Amino acid sequence: MKPTTLAAAVLAMAVTLPTLSLAGPIDSACLRSERSSANARTCACIQAAADATLSRADQRKAARFFTDPDRAQEVRVSKGAADSAFWQRYRAFGRTAEAYCS
């Protein structure tokens, strides 16, 4: 099975069966955020996108952006190889979440 097909299947299951998915770091941060669009269904979908595209360590790092948006900017403009690689994975996560959760 292609990785994109697998990711779509995981997202479909997480969106249709939100009660069976465990809360992850992105889901928890999303629900705690003050964003008006933060609700259980949307946050569960975003978590599913994170599960399909990010490691657990990347998810924890990305979850911090909900409470410290300036940290996201610091990572984005960083010249470090690890931050650059993370930012590429984070952007892929963002595209996946936007495609499946909007």
Side-chain angles (χ1 to χ4, degrees), residues 16 21 24-26 30 40 50 56 59-60 72 74 81 84 86 88 98:
T16 58
S21 64
I26 299 289
C30 176
R56 266 323 235 206
Q59 289 181 37
R60 287 189 299 274
E74 291 170 14
S84 294
F86 167 78
Q88 293 304 312
E98 183 176 15

Side-chain angles (χ1 to χ4, degrees), residues 1-67:
M1 186 178 288
K2 290 184 177 180
T4 54
T5 305
L6 178 60
V10 168
L11 285 170
M13 287 179 5
V15 171
T16 58
L17 303 171
T19 58
L20 295 179
S21 64
L22 299 174
I26 299 289
D27 185 39
S28 297
C30 176
L31 288 171
R32 285 190 313 266
S33 75
E34 297 178 6
R35 294 185 168 116
S36 61
S37 61
N39 61 61
R41 186 172 189 86
T42 300
C43 292
C45 183
I46 294 169
Q47 179 63 54
D51 289 339
T53 58
L54 298 174
S55 70
R56 266 323 235 206
D58 282 350
Q59 289 181 37
R60 287 189 299 274
K61 186 173 187 171
R64 289 185 209 113
F65 297 164
F66 282 84
T67 56

